[in-house]
Each structure stands twice: as structure tokens, then as C-alpha cells.
Amino acid sequence: MTNKETILEELYKKRGSFVSGGELAKRLRVSRAAVWKSINSLRRAGYKIESAPREGYRLARVPDLLLPYEIKRELATKVLGKRIEHFREVGSTNDVAKELASQGAEEGTVVIAETQSGGKGRLGREWFSPRGGIWLSVILRPRLSPDEVPKVALMLGVAAAKALRGTGLDCYLKWPNDVLVRGRKVSGILTEMDAEMDKVNYIVAGVGINANNDVDDFPSEFRHSATTVKTELGREVSRVAVVINLLEELEKSYRFFTSGKFEIVLREWRDLARTIGKEVRILTHNKTIEGTALDIDGDGALLLQLKDGRVEKILSGDCIHLRENF
Ligand code: BT5
């Protein structure tokens, strides 16, 4: 734990009352001046910490931010989230995570931002990332060949959908990577990788969740195709709790994945997805086809039955559910 984390731990233990600077200095084996420096740094991060002469410090208010300590306090993972980097604003958390990964950051490192000025969707599309949402990226270093990477997107979809269902949201998956509620997108996933011919060096798994942001703030082009957890539930949710759930679910799925039990993730995906059995339109980079979504196979590819009965295997693309009934 860092000095700041230890100080927070002590302040939390005695929430509501004062902890003396001397006590904190002793616990940390640093000077009182060093304690004061850390307290000021926590204040800059957004914590409201009162100080009183001879009494010490008291935690008065915790900000509504996705601060690393707030997540780590409750997080029951072994690998994911051991290191969390939090920013008020970045261009894209995926880009920051890629930079960290290329400098050797370890597996499980998480990058979180309150807002993104250049949030990225797939295929160069933009991802609108205002305050109140959850924009995070995780560095993974699985031993995989690049053609297995689509499986990671499915795994992320499962984790995001399960974390969101934990808030009471009746959400489901749409192939390959969207989490929807009533046909509207509440979360999207972007996996990027650095790989050689036959070996992945690292994967950056980006998840965007519209949590406590408002639908009215969305640009008009997708105001009707997007939604937020707050809009659907009619109340705000604890974003910290959603992140914790997400990282815990992701670690569970990732364990199955890396121990040769991807079948379990696939089963969960099928249970959460409403694409299977649907009439769909698929847009790939060079064609648009319609048919019935039969299943996904072990590679995460969609098996599409065309009108003439042939079955086509689709590795990537956009999918539109043609007849949604709510
Ligand atoms: C995605 O792309 O769904 C992937 C989104 C991944 C975002 C995360 S946030 C953390 C990490 N850092 C990043 O920079 N990215 C990841 P795609 O399927 O291409 O969907 C993009 C399309 O969804 C856009 O063209 C818009 O039409 C729409 N859109 C944009 N922002 C949205 C939002 N916040 N909610 C719902 N739809 C949105």
C-alpha cells in the first residue's frame, strides 16, 4: 500500500472522528510533515479531509470519483486492478493503457478516466464519454495467438453484462460486443492488441459504460440508440460498485479462458445474448447480409444461416437485430 492508501485506511477506520497526525506518522514511519504532504495530495484528488490543531485529521467527504483506493478497498481480485491509474480526463483510456503496456506495465493494470476527450469506438468511430460514465481499460497478457483475440471481446461482454445486471438492469448482449437494454446501447467494448505473427504481446480491453450520465446529453445522432443505467433505473448507481463487479466478473471469466475452459464463458454468453435465433442484418467491411443467427462457435464467430440455407461464419462486423420485441 502507498502512504496515501494507508492514511485513507486509518481515516476510514475512524470515520467521523479525528486521527492524530502523530499516530499516522508512527504507523507510516515518516515525519508529520510527510503525513501533511500526503493529506494535501489526497485533498487535491478530491477527498475532503478536515484538520484541527491537536486533534489531527478527519475524513469528511469522499468524492463521487472512481478513485483507486475506493475501488481497491472492496475489490476481491488477485490480478485485475492491483494497479489502478485514475485520471480526471484523458484522450482515450485505451491509448494510455497501450502506452503503459508498451513500457512493461503488468497484467491487470487498469486505467480509468472520469471523461475522455477522444474516446474510441471500433473502426475509428467515436465514443462519447462524458462525466458520470465509466471509461476504463485493462491490460491483459494472455498466451494466445492473435486469431483467438475475438474470444476476449466475448469475455468482456459477459463481464460487463453481468456487472450491469448486478445493478438490477435487465440488460443483454448483442453480438459481438454490445450490452443493450430495450434495444439501446448501454455499454460498448473495444479490444486492441499488440501482436507478432503467432503471439500476442498484450491486449488492451476497453469497456465504456453509460452509468450516471444523462441520455439528453448524447449527440442527437445516437440519442435514440443509446441509453444509460441512470435513465433505465430512474436512479443513480454506485459507479465504484459497478467497477468492482466488472473487474471481479472479468477475472472469473479470464481464469476460465486461460485455463482452457472457454466453453463456460461461451455458455454464459449464449445465456446473456439475445442474438441467437434472431433475424439479423450483418454489416462486414465489404458486404451486408441477412439471415438467422444460429449460434456462436468456439472462436466467438457468429454462425449465420442465409435465406438459401447455407451457413456462413462471420468473424467480425456490426449486427442489427431486425425484429426486436420489448
Ligand atoms: C464500441 O464501438 O462500442 C466500443 C466502445 C468502447 C469505449 C471504451 S471507453 C474506455 C475505452 N477507451 C476508449 O477510447 N474506448 C474504450 P462501436 O461498436 O464502434 O460503437 C460506436 C458507435 O456507438 C458510435 O459510432 C456511436 O454511434 C455510438 N456511441 C458513441 N458513444 C456512445 C455512448 N457513449 N453510448 C452509446 N452509443 C455510443
Side-chain angles (χ1 to χ4, degrees), residues 66-99:
L66 295 169
L67 295 170
Y69 180 74
E70 299 306 312
I71 296 165
K72 287 186 190 172
R73 275 180 71 208
E74 311 265 343
L75 188 64
T77 54
K78 288 219 165 62
V79 180
L80 304 193
K82 288 292 133 191
R83 173 176 173 196
I84 300 179
E85 298 291 338
H86 172 263
F87 300 88
R88 296 275 172 141
E89 178 171 330
V90 292
S92 152
T93 54
N94 266 32
D95 290 345
V96 175
K98 278 195 283 184
E99 183 63 36

mmCIF file of all heavy atoms in Angstrom, residues 66-99:
data_model
loop_
_atom_site.group_PDB
_atom_site.id
_atom_site.type_symbol
_atom_site.label_atom_id
_atom_site.label_comp_id
_atom_site.label_asym_id
_atom_site.label_seq_id
_atom_site.Cartn_x
_atom_site.Cartn_y
_atom_site.Cartn_z
ATOM 1 N N LEU A 66 -14.009 7.786 -9.421
ATOM 2 C CA LEU A 66 -13.588 6.377 -9.416
ATOM 3 C C LEU A 66 -12.141 6.283 -8.924
ATOM 4 O O LEU A 66 -11.252 5.838 -9.648
ATOM 5 C CB LEU A 66 -13.754 5.784 -10.820
ATOM 6 C CG LEU A 66 -15.209 5.723 -11.283
ATOM 7 C CD1 LEU A 66 -15.303 5.391 -12.767
ATOM 8 C CD2 LEU A 66 -15.992 4.699 -10.462
ATOM 9 N N LEU A 67 -11.929 6.722 -7.685
ATOM 10 C CA LEU A 67 -10.559 6.783 -7.159
ATOM 11 C C LEU A 67 -10.034 5.391 -6.820
ATOM 12 O O LEU A 67 -10.775 4.548 -6.292
ATOM 13 C CB LEU A 67 -10.529 7.684 -5.927
ATOM 14 C CG LEU A 67 -10.856 9.149 -6.229
ATOM 15 C CD1 LEU A 67 -11.053 9.944 -4.953
ATOM 16 C CD2 LEU A 67 -9.747 9.778 -7.072
ATOM 17 N N PRO A 68 -8.753 5.142 -7.130
ATOM 18 C CA PRO A 68 -8.190 3.809 -6.950
ATOM 19 C C PRO A 68 -8.457 3.202 -5.577
ATOM 20 O O PRO A 68 -8.870 2.050 -5.472
ATOM 21 C CB PRO A 68 -6.694 4.028 -7.165
ATOM 22 C CG PRO A 68 -6.637 5.195 -8.097
ATOM 23 C CD PRO A 68 -7.804 6.073 -7.744
ATOM 24 N N TYR A 69 -8.256 3.986 -4.521
ATOM 25 C CA TYR A 69 -8.415 3.393 -3.184
ATOM 26 C C TYR A 69 -9.857 2.953 -2.943
ATOM 27 O O TYR A 69 -10.099 1.923 -2.301
ATOM 28 C CB TYR A 69 -7.971 4.388 -2.106
ATOM 29 C CG TYR A 69 -8.107 3.819 -0.722
ATOM 30 C CD1 TYR A 69 -7.220 2.851 -0.249
ATOM 31 C CD2 TYR A 69 -9.158 4.206 0.104
ATOM 32 C CE1 TYR A 69 -7.374 2.291 1.006
ATOM 33 C CE2 TYR A 69 -9.316 3.660 1.364
ATOM 34 C CZ TYR A 69 -8.421 2.696 1.808
ATOM 35 O OH TYR A 69 -8.572 2.146 3.053
ATOM 36 N N GLU A 70 -10.816 3.732 -3.444
ATOM 37 C CA GLU A 70 -12.229 3.398 -3.231
ATOM 38 C C GLU A 70 -12.565 2.058 -3.886
ATOM 39 O O GLU A 70 -13.373 1.297 -3.384
ATOM 40 C CB GLU A 70 -13.138 4.498 -3.789
ATOM 41 C CG GLU A 70 -12.935 5.850 -3.144
ATOM 42 C CD GLU A 70 -13.066 5.780 -1.630
ATOM 43 O OE1 GLU A 70 -14.039 5.193 -1.139
ATOM 44 O OE2 GLU A 70 -12.166 6.306 -0.933
ATOM 45 N N ILE A 71 -11.926 1.792 -5.019
ATOM 46 C CA ILE A 71 -12.172 0.528 -5.716
ATOM 47 C C ILE A 71 -11.426 -0.605 -5.006
ATOM 48 O O ILE A 71 -11.994 -1.648 -4.691
ATOM 49 C CB ILE A 71 -11.722 0.655 -7.189
ATOM 50 C CG1 ILE A 71 -12.590 1.706 -7.887
ATOM 51 C CG2 ILE A 71 -11.802 -0.686 -7.921
ATOM 52 C CD1 ILE A 71 -12.053 2.184 -9.211
ATOM 53 N N LYS A 72 -10.154 -0.349 -4.696
ATOM 54 C CA LYS A 72 -9.330 -1.410 -4.095
ATOM 55 C C LYS A 72 -9.826 -1.849 -2.723
ATOM 56 O O LYS A 72 -9.624 -2.995 -2.332
ATOM 57 C CB LYS A 72 -7.891 -0.923 -3.966
ATOM 58 C CG LYS A 72 -7.153 -0.856 -5.285
ATOM 59 C CD LYS A 72 -5.721 -0.496 -5.000
ATOM 60 C CE LYS A 72 -4.939 -0.162 -6.242
ATOM 61 N NZ LYS A 72 -3.622 0.364 -5.884
ATOM 62 N N ARG A 73 -10.458 -0.931 -1.984
ATOM 63 C CA ARG A 73 -10.945 -1.262 -0.634
ATOM 64 C C ARG A 73 -11.803 -2.504 -0.609
ATOM 65 O O ARG A 73 -11.808 -3.261 0.348
ATOM 66 C CB ARG A 73 -11.837 -0.119 -0.121
ATOM 67 C CG ARG A 73 -11.113 1.004 0.512
ATOM 68 C CD ARG A 73 -12.096 2.041 0.961
ATOM 69 N NE ARG A 73 -12.847 1.564 2.103
ATOM 70 C CZ ARG A 73 -14.072 1.946 2.421
ATOM 71 N NH1 ARG A 73 -14.698 2.802 1.681
ATOM 72 N NH2 ARG A 73 -14.665 1.478 3.484
ATOM 73 N N GLU A 74 -12.617 -2.670 -1.670
ATOM 74 C CA GLU A 74 -13.587 -3.772 -1.663
ATOM 75 C C GLU A 74 -13.280 -4.834 -2.705
ATOM 76 O O GLU A 74 -13.971 -5.834 -2.789
ATOM 77 C CB GLU A 74 -14.991 -3.225 -1.983
ATOM 78 C CG GLU A 74 -15.412 -2.029 -1.190
ATOM 79 C CD GLU A 74 -16.239 -2.405 0.030
ATOM 80 O OE1 GLU A 74 -16.744 -3.537 0.060
ATOM 81 O OE2 GLU A 74 -16.361 -1.561 0.930
ATOM 82 N N LEU A 75 -12.285 -4.584 -3.521
ATOM 83 C CA LEU A 75 -12.039 -5.452 -4.680
ATOM 84 C C LEU A 75 -11.454 -6.806 -4.264
ATOM 85 O O LEU A 75 -10.423 -6.855 -3.600
ATOM 86 C CB LEU A 75 -11.072 -4.734 -5.625
ATOM 87 C CG LEU A 75 -10.816 -5.351 -6.986
ATOM 88 C CD1 LEU A 75 -12.089 -5.370 -7.819
ATOM 89 C CD2 LEU A 75 -9.727 -4.562 -7.717
ATOM 90 N N ALA A 76 -12.128 -7.896 -4.687
ATOM 91 C CA ALA A 76 -11.657 -9.219 -4.277
ATOM 92 C C ALA A 76 -11.008 -9.958 -5.453
ATOM 93 O O ALA A 76 -11.320 -11.107 -5.716
ATOM 94 C CB ALA A 76 -12.830 -10.023 -3.727
ATOM 95 N N THR A 77 -10.123 -9.285 -6.164
ATOM 96 C CA THR A 77 -9.454 -9.954 -7.286
ATOM 97 C C THR A 77 -8.007 -10.241 -6.910
ATOM 98 O O THR A 77 -7.471 -9.649 -5.983
ATOM 99 C CB THR A 77 -9.440 -9.054 -8.534
ATOM 100 O OG1 THR A 77 -8.862 -7.803 -8.162
ATOM 101 C CG2 THR A 77 -10.825 -8.838 -9.094
ATOM 102 N N LYS A 78 -7.390 -11.146 -7.696
ATOM 103 C CA LYS A 78 -5.975 -11.455 -7.433
ATOM 104 C C LYS A 78 -5.071 -10.664 -8.372
ATOM 105 O O LYS A 78 -3.964 -10.287 -8.013
ATOM 106 C CB LYS A 78 -5.734 -12.949 -7.644
ATOM 107 C CG LYS A 78 -6.326 -13.812 -6.564
ATOM 108 C CD LYS A 78 -5.369 -14.967 -6.242
ATOM 109 C CE LYS A 78 -5.693 -15.664 -4.938
ATOM 110 N NZ LYS A 78 -7.034 -16.294 -4.942
ATOM 111 N N VAL A 79 -5.548 -10.452 -9.592
ATOM 112 C CA VAL A 79 -4.682 -9.846 -10.604
ATOM 113 C C VAL A 79 -5.228 -8.503 -11.117
ATOM 114 O O VAL A 79 -4.508 -7.508 -11.142
ATOM 115 C CB VAL A 79 -4.515 -10.820 -11.805
ATOM 116 C CG1 VAL A 79 -3.633 -10.215 -12.873
ATOM 117 C CG2 VAL A 79 -3.941 -12.157 -11.334
ATOM 118 N N LEU A 80 -6.491 -8.507 -11.501
ATOM 119 C CA LEU A 80 -7.036 -7.295 -12.117
ATOM 120 C C LEU A 80 -7.244 -6.181 -11.095
ATOM 121 O O LEU A 80 -7.875 -6.386 -10.063
ATOM 122 C CB LEU A 80 -8.372 -7.587 -12.814
ATOM 123 C CG LEU A 80 -8.383 -8.688 -13.870
ATOM 124 C CD1 LEU A 80 -9.674 -8.638 -14.675
ATOM 125 C CD2 LEU A 80 -7.198 -8.592 -14.800
ATOM 126 N N GLY A 81 -6.673 -5.017 -11.386
ATOM 127 C CA GLY A 81 -6.889 -3.866 -10.504
ATOM 128 C C GLY A 81 -5.889 -3.753 -9.370
ATOM 129 O O GLY A 81 -6.065 -2.945 -8.474
ATOM 130 N N LYS A 82 -4.836 -4.561 -9.406
ATOM 131 C CA LYS A 82 -3.795 -4.395 -8.372
ATOM 132 C C LYS A 82 -3.150 -3.026 -8.543
ATOM 133 O O LYS A 82 -2.732 -2.386 -7.601
ATOM 134 C CB LYS A 82 -2.728 -5.497 -8.467
ATOM 135 C CG LYS A 82 -3.191 -6.852 -8.012
ATOM 136 C CD LYS A 82 -3.452 -6.908 -6.514
ATOM 137 C CE LYS A 82 -4.777 -7.566 -6.251
ATOM 138 N NZ LYS A 82 -5.351 -7.531 -4.973
ATOM 139 N N ARG A 83 -3.042 -2.609 -9.812
ATOM 140 C CA ARG A 83 -2.584 -1.243 -10.070
ATOM 141 C C ARG A 83 -3.709 -0.523 -10.807
ATOM 142 O O ARG A 83 -4.198 -1.026 -11.820
ATOM 143 C CB ARG A 83 -1.312 -1.273 -10.929
ATOM 144 C CG ARG A 83 -0.880 0.116 -11.367
ATOM 145 C CD ARG A 83 0.436 0.069 -12.136
ATOM 146 N NE ARG A 83 0.742 1.383 -12.686
ATOM 147 C CZ ARG A 83 1.636 1.595 -13.652
ATOM 148 N NH1 ARG A 83 2.311 0.578 -14.155
ATOM 149 N NH2 ARG A 83 1.846 2.808 -14.104
ATOM 150 N N ILE A 84 -4.123 0.613 -10.280
ATOM 151 C CA ILE A 84 -5.176 1.393 -10.946
ATOM 152 C C ILE A 84 -4.672 2.815 -11.140
ATOM 153 O O ILE A 84 -4.225 3.451 -10.190
ATOM 154 C CB ILE A 84 -6.480 1.418 -10.113
ATOM 155 C CG1 ILE A 84 -7.011 -0.006 -9.890
ATOM 156 C CG2 ILE A 84 -7.539 2.275 -10.802
ATOM 157 C CD1 ILE A 84 -8.284 -0.094 -9.046
ATOM 158 N N GLU A 85 -4.726 3.290 -12.372
ATOM 159 C CA GLU A 85 -4.346 4.681 -12.658
ATOM 160 C C GLU A 85 -5.621 5.450 -12.972
ATOM 161 O O GLU A 85 -6.371 5.071 -13.868
ATOM 162 C CB GLU A 85 -3.404 4.742 -13.874
ATOM 163 C CG GLU A 85 -2.076 4.017 -13.682
ATOM 164 C CD GLU A 85 -1.159 4.688 -12.676
ATOM 165 O OE1 GLU A 85 -1.322 5.907 -12.429
ATOM 166 O OE2 GLU A 85 -0.297 3.983 -12.105
ATOM 167 N N HIS A 86 -5.861 6.507 -12.216
ATOM 168 C CA HIS A 86 -7.095 7.271 -12.379
ATOM 169 C C HIS A 86 -6.795 8.674 -12.920
ATOM 170 O O HIS A 86 -5.846 9.316 -12.478
ATOM 171 C CB HIS A 86 -7.810 7.383 -11.023
ATOM 172 C CG HIS A 86 -8.983 8.304 -11.030
ATOM 173 N ND1 HIS A 86 -8.911 9.614 -10.611
ATOM 174 C CD2 HIS A 86 -10.273 8.119 -11.432
ATOM 175 C CE1 HIS A 86 -10.093 10.186 -10.738
ATOM 176 N NE2 HIS A 86 -10.938 9.302 -11.235
ATOM 177 N N PHE A 87 -7.603 9.115 -13.869
ATOM 178 C CA PHE A 87 -7.424 10.452 -14.449
ATOM 179 C C PHE A 87 -8.762 11.182 -14.486
ATOM 180 O O PHE A 87 -9.794 10.567 -14.697
ATOM 181 C CB PHE A 87 -6.918 10.345 -15.899
ATOM 182 C CG PHE A 87 -5.603 9.637 -16.029
ATOM 183 C CD1 PHE A 87 -5.548 8.254 -16.167
ATOM 184 C CD2 PHE A 87 -4.413 10.355 -15.998
ATOM 185 C CE1 PHE A 87 -4.328 7.596 -16.271
ATOM 186 C CE2 PHE A 87 -3.192 9.704 -16.111
ATOM 187 C CZ PHE A 87 -3.147 8.327 -16.245
ATOM 188 N N ARG A 88 -8.708 12.500 -14.295
ATOM 189 C CA ARG A 88 -9.938 13.300 -14.458
ATOM 190 C C ARG A 88 -10.320 13.281 -15.942
ATOM 191 O O ARG A 88 -11.468 13.180 -16.297
ATOM 192 C CB ARG A 88 -9.696 14.749 -14.032
ATOM 193 C CG ARG A 88 -9.363 14.896 -12.573
ATOM 194 C CD ARG A 88 -10.636 14.970 -11.762
ATOM 195 N NE ARG A 88 -10.271 14.913 -10.349
ATOM 196 C CZ ARG A 88 -10.854 15.612 -9.405
ATOM 197 N NH1 ARG A 88 -11.861 16.393 -9.682
ATOM 198 N NH2 ARG A 88 -10.478 15.492 -8.148
ATOM 199 N N GLU A 89 -9.327 13.456 -16.817
ATOM 200 C CA GLU A 89 -9.607 13.430 -18.263
ATOM 201 C C GLU A 89 -8.397 12.906 -19.018
ATOM 202 O O GLU A 89 -7.264 13.250 -18.690
ATOM 203 C CB GLU A 89 -9.943 14.845 -18.755
ATOM 204 C CG GLU A 89 -10.192 14.853 -20.253
ATOM 205 C CD GLU A 89 -10.745 16.154 -20.803
ATOM 206 O OE1 GLU A 89 -11.462 16.852 -20.075
ATOM 207 O OE2 GLU A 89 -10.436 16.454 -21.973
ATOM 208 N N VAL A 90 -8.663 12.065 -19.990
ATOM 209 C CA VAL A 90 -7.599 11.633 -20.914
ATOM 210 C C VAL A 90 -8.179 11.688 -22.323
ATOM 211 O O VAL A 90 -9.379 11.918 -22.497
ATOM 212 C CB VAL A 90 -7.125 10.176 -20.655
ATOM 213 C CG1 VAL A 90 -6.392 10.053 -19.337
ATOM 214 C CG2 VAL A 90 -8.279 9.193 -20.714
ATOM 215 N N GLY A 91 -7.324 11.459 -23.338
ATOM 216 C CA GLY A 91 -7.832 11.319 -24.694
ATOM 217 C C GLY A 91 -8.661 10.037 -24.729
ATOM 218 O O GLY A 91 -9.877 10.065 -24.853
ATOM 219 N N SER A 92 -7.961 8.902 -24.567
ATOM 220 C CA SER A 92 -8.619 7.593 -24.558
ATOM 221 C C SER A 92 -7.897 6.707 -23.533
ATOM 222 O O SER A 92 -6.664 6.622 -23.551
ATOM 223 C CB SER A 92 -8.524 6.972 -25.954
ATOM 224 O OG SER A 92 -8.534 5.563 -25.877
ATOM 225 N N THR A 93 -8.660 6.050 -22.662
ATOM 226 C CA THR A 93 -8.012 5.163 -21.670
ATOM 227 C C THR A 93 -7.295 4.019 -22.392
ATOM 228 O O THR A 93 -6.287 3.519 -21.901
ATOM 229 C CB THR A 93 -9.035 4.577 -20.671
ATOM 230 O OG1 THR A 93 -10.084 3.944 -21.411
ATOM 231 C CG2 THR A 93 -9.613 5.654 -19.771
ATOM 232 N N ASN A 94 -7.810 3.591 -23.557
ATOM 233 C CA ASN A 94 -7.117 2.526 -24.297
ATOM 234 C C ASN A 94 -5.723 2.989 -24.721
ATOM 235 O O ASN A 94 -4.756 2.228 -24.655
ATOM 236 C CB ASN A 94 -7.918 2.120 -25.540
ATOM 237 C CG ASN A 94 -8.833 0.933 -25.279
ATOM 238 O OD1 ASN A 94 -9.336 0.771 -24.166
ATOM 239 N ND2 ASN A 94 -9.068 0.107 -26.287
ATOM 240 N N ASP A 95 -5.614 4.246 -25.156
ATOM 241 C CA ASP A 95 -4.312 4.750 -25.587
ATOM 242 C C ASP A 95 -3.341 4.848 -24.406
ATOM 243 O O ASP A 95 -2.172 4.493 -24.528
ATOM 244 C CB ASP A 95 -4.454 6.120 -26.266
ATOM 245 C CG ASP A 95 -5.150 6.000 -27.619
ATOM 246 O OD1 ASP A 95 -5.249 4.863 -28.130
ATOM 247 O OD2 ASP A 95 -5.589 7.035 -28.156
ATOM 248 N N VAL A 96 -3.845 5.316 -23.263
ATOM 249 C CA VAL A 96 -2.982 5.407 -22.073
ATOM 250 C C VAL A 96 -2.535 3.996 -21.675
ATOM 251 O O VAL A 96 -1.355 3.762 -21.386
ATOM 252 C CB VAL A 96 -3.725 6.089 -20.889
ATOM 253 C CG1 VAL A 96 -2.874 6.074 -19.631
ATOM 254 C CG2 VAL A 96 -4.126 7.514 -21.249
ATOM 255 N N ALA A 97 -3.481 3.040 -21.698
ATOM 256 C CA ALA A 97 -3.139 1.668 -21.307
ATOM 257 C C ALA A 97 -2.124 1.055 -22.282
ATOM 258 O O ALA A 97 -1.213 0.336 -21.874
ATOM 259 C CB ALA A 97 -4.405 0.814 -21.242
ATOM 260 N N LYS A 98 -2.271 1.356 -23.569
ATOM 261 C CA LYS A 98 -1.315 0.817 -24.555
ATOM 262 C C LYS A 98 0.087 1.356 -24.286
ATOM 263 O O LYS A 98 1.073 0.633 -24.365
ATOM 264 C CB LYS A 98 -1.753 1.183 -25.978
ATOM 265 C CG LYS A 98 -2.818 0.232 -26.504
ATOM 266 C CD LYS A 98 -2.978 0.350 -28.012
ATOM 267 C CE LYS A 98 -3.768 1.577 -28.368
ATOM 268 N NZ LYS A 98 -4.035 1.696 -29.802
ATOM 269 N N GLU A 99 0.141 2.643 -23.966
ATOM 270 C CA GLU A 99 1.420 3.276 -23.654
ATOM 271 C C GLU A 99 2.048 2.593 -22.422
ATOM 272 O O GLU A 99 3.229 2.225 -22.440
ATOM 273 C CB GLU A 99 1.139 4.768 -23.369
ATOM 274 C CG GLU A 99 2.338 5.641 -23.084
ATOM 275 C CD GLU A 99 3.274 5.718 -24.277
ATOM 276 O OE1 GLU A 99 2.771 5.731 -25.410
ATOM 277 O OE2 GLU A 99 4.508 5.742 -24.038
#
